Amino acid sequence: MQDFEYQANPARVVFGKGSIRKVPEELLRLGLTKPLILCTPQQTLQAEDLRKILDGEVTVAGVFDNATMHTPVDVTDSALKVVKESGCDSVVSIGGGSTIGLGKALSFRTGLYHLCIPTTYAGSEVTPILGETQEGRKTTYSDPKIFPGTVVYDVDLTMTLPAGLSATSGVNAIAHAVEALYARNGNPVINLLAVEGVRALAEALPQIVQDSNTAGPRARAQYGAWLCGTCLGSVGMSLHHKLCHTLGGSFNLPHAETHTIMLPHVVAYNAPNIPETLALLAQALPESDGDAIRGLNVLLQKLGIKRDLKSFGLKEEDISQAADIAVSNPYWNPREVKRASIEELIRRAWAGEEARADL
């Protein structure tokens, strides 16, 4: 039996259909009566619906509707001004990783309580990690103070999430669990959560793509995303997340799509050094035939999503620079990070090739 340390996630989780209606109760339980609602420009309708639920129970301080991908510092600064002017006593984020990231940034800077309501499967809501972008570079922080205090999962809020975005958001969550399985500070408890999370998402996502209006697979995907996000919040990440933060922060590639495209390639790169992880993944991935890389390739094929970074704006001439940035700061990875191999890995992802373990 391996030696390990395990720190439980401190967040309170409220999971269930229609649970958004419990948000006033959750705030009042904590003595909070003046929340500021956060959302993206695309989710103002959901924010307004939440305001209606809150009105009469508490006093809504306002709605800040400019949450942005990769959490730009200038957007956070604008939101901080609204926080100060509104006199709010808490922040409530409703949306995906962009909105939850802003809620984390505000809470971390001000000490305000953060309640979040995820509408995607990204898993950011249960991590102590904050990635912020400034002047073309994305910097990642990890601190227990970044954890949202309460997470409200309501499957109803995911029902209108487009099938394509559901797929990439879900694979993004799977990536958290995969890297947790070979983390330097991993442990048996997190391994159990990771395998269960991958299995739940790998089963649910193809069903969602086939019929996005069925609540059962949606709820299972939400459950899987919670487990995978918990993995991300409990152990260290490695090459996959480093590459995705480089591509997102420096080249403005979309978060979930980038994670989806890169995942099989990084697993293939690390494959010689992670046999136990590959065995666990193969068990959790349908149609893997005992080969985790094949299982990931088949899953992405079934989801029908784009698999090339060039479709999302990465230029061929950017590949070399991306490799330079990705290896510029040393970090732990189960296999030595070699610049030439990383450049070829990015090139394959840029071209949309299937992952293969020959680097």
Side-chain angles (χ1 to χ4, degrees):
M1 185 70 183
Q2 71 181 92
D3 296 338
F4 66 91
E5 296 179 2
Y6 173 68
Q7 175 66 52
N9 187 330
R12 173 177 168 84
V13 173
V14 180
F15 191 106
K17 182 177 174 62
S19 57
I20 191 174
R21 298 197 172 276
K22 297 182 180 179
V23 173
E25 174 187 337
E26 289 299 313
L27 291 173
L28 291 172
R29 184 179 64 85
L30 297 163
L32 302 171
T33 60
K34 196 175 182 183
L36 175 69
I37 299 172
L38 311 174
C39 68
T40 63
Q42 294 77 31
Q43 292 187 289
T44 54
L45 289 179
Q46 285 183 321
E48 286 303 319
D49 288 343
L50 175 60
R51 180 200 279 269
K52 293 174 183 176
I53 291 170
L54 291 171
D55 274 343
E57 301 288 334
V58 299
T59 301
V60 176
V63 176
F64 182 87
D65 60 3
N66 197 33
T68 305
M69 185 172 63
H70 304 305
T71 320
V73 171
D74 61 329
V75 173
T76 299
D77 289 340
S78 296
L80 282 169
K81 293 178 182 177
V82 175
V83 166
K84 184 177 181 180
E85 293 169 358
S86 69
C88 63
D89 63 6
S90 54
V91 291
V92 176
S93 58
I94 180 167
S98 299
T99 307
I100 292 168
L102 176 60
K104 287 178 171 181
L106 295 177
S107 176
F108 186 54
R109 285 168 167 77
T110 64
L112 290 174
Y113 193 87
H114 179 197
L115 182 151
C116 59
I117 309 167
T119 60
T120 69
Y121 307 123
S124 172
E125 65 277 2
V126 284
T127 76
I129 299 168
L130 170 62
E132 296 185 307
T133 306
Q134 188 171 28
E135 297 178 354
R137 290 293 182 101
K138 189 167 186 176
T139 304
T140 303
Y141 310 92
S142 181
D143 191 299
K145 296 178 182 176
I146 294 172
F147 269 121
T150 301
V151 185
V152 175
Y153 289 104
D154 187 338
V155 68
D156 291 342
L157 300 178
T158 68
M159 296 302 296
T160 58
L161 188 66
L165 183 54
S166 298
T168 55
S169 177
V171 178
N172 177 23
I174 288 174
H176 306 331
V178 170
E179 288 226 297
L181 284 171
Y182 56 70
R184 178 168 50 176
N185 59 338
N187 63 72
V189 178
I190 291 301
N191 287 354
L192 289 171
L193 298 182
V195 171
E196 174 68 3
V198 171
R199 181 178 289 113
L201 281 160
E203 291 174 354
L205 294 177
Q207 296 175 20
I208 291 170
V209 168
Q210 290 179 357
D211 182 3
S212 62
N213 296 317
T214 305
R218 290 280 190 184
R220 184 150 175 77
Q222 202 169 41
Y223 162 72
W226 168 27
L227 297 181
C228 292
T230 300
C231 295
L232 173 65
S234 302
V235 297
M237 297 289 109
S238 304
L239 177 62
H240 173 82
H241 282 75
K242 177 67 174 181
L243 285 174
C244 292
H245 287 166
T246 295
L247 294 165
S250 298
F251 302 95
N252 203 37
L253 299 191
H255 184 85
E257 290 84 350
T258 302
H259 276 267
T260 298
I261 293 169
M262 297 303 295
L263 179 59
H265 293 284
V266 176
V267 172
Y269 178 83
N270 282 331
N273 294 59
I274 55 170
E276 293 181 359
T277 294
L278 295 180
L280 290 171
L281 274 179
Q283 295 172 22
L285 292 166
E287 300 181 50
S288 69
D289 292 338
D291 181 342
I293 300 169
R294 167 185 160 79
L296 288 170
N297 281 327
V298 169
L299 176 61
L300 266 58
Q301 183 179 19
K302 289 174 67 175
L303 296 179
I305 50 188
K306 292 182 179 179
R307 299 187 59 179
D308 61 293
L309 295 175
K310 61 184 176 182
S311 288
F312 297 99
L314 187 72
K315 300 175 183 177
E316 189 171 10
E317 55 266 32
D318 293 333
I319 295 173
S320 179
Q321 183 187 359
D324 287 339
I325 297 171
V327 302
S328 60
N329 295 315
Y331 50 92
W332 185 87
N333 189 64
R335 181 183 174 189
E336 182 184 356
V337 177
K338 299 179 180 179
R339 192 213 169 279
S341 298
I342 296 305
E343 181 170 346
E344 172 59 14
L345 186 160
I346 297 171
R347 187 205 64 77
R348 292 179 183 183
W350 171 84
E353 299 177 10
E354 281 213 338
R356 56 189 189 275
D358 61 355
L359 284 177

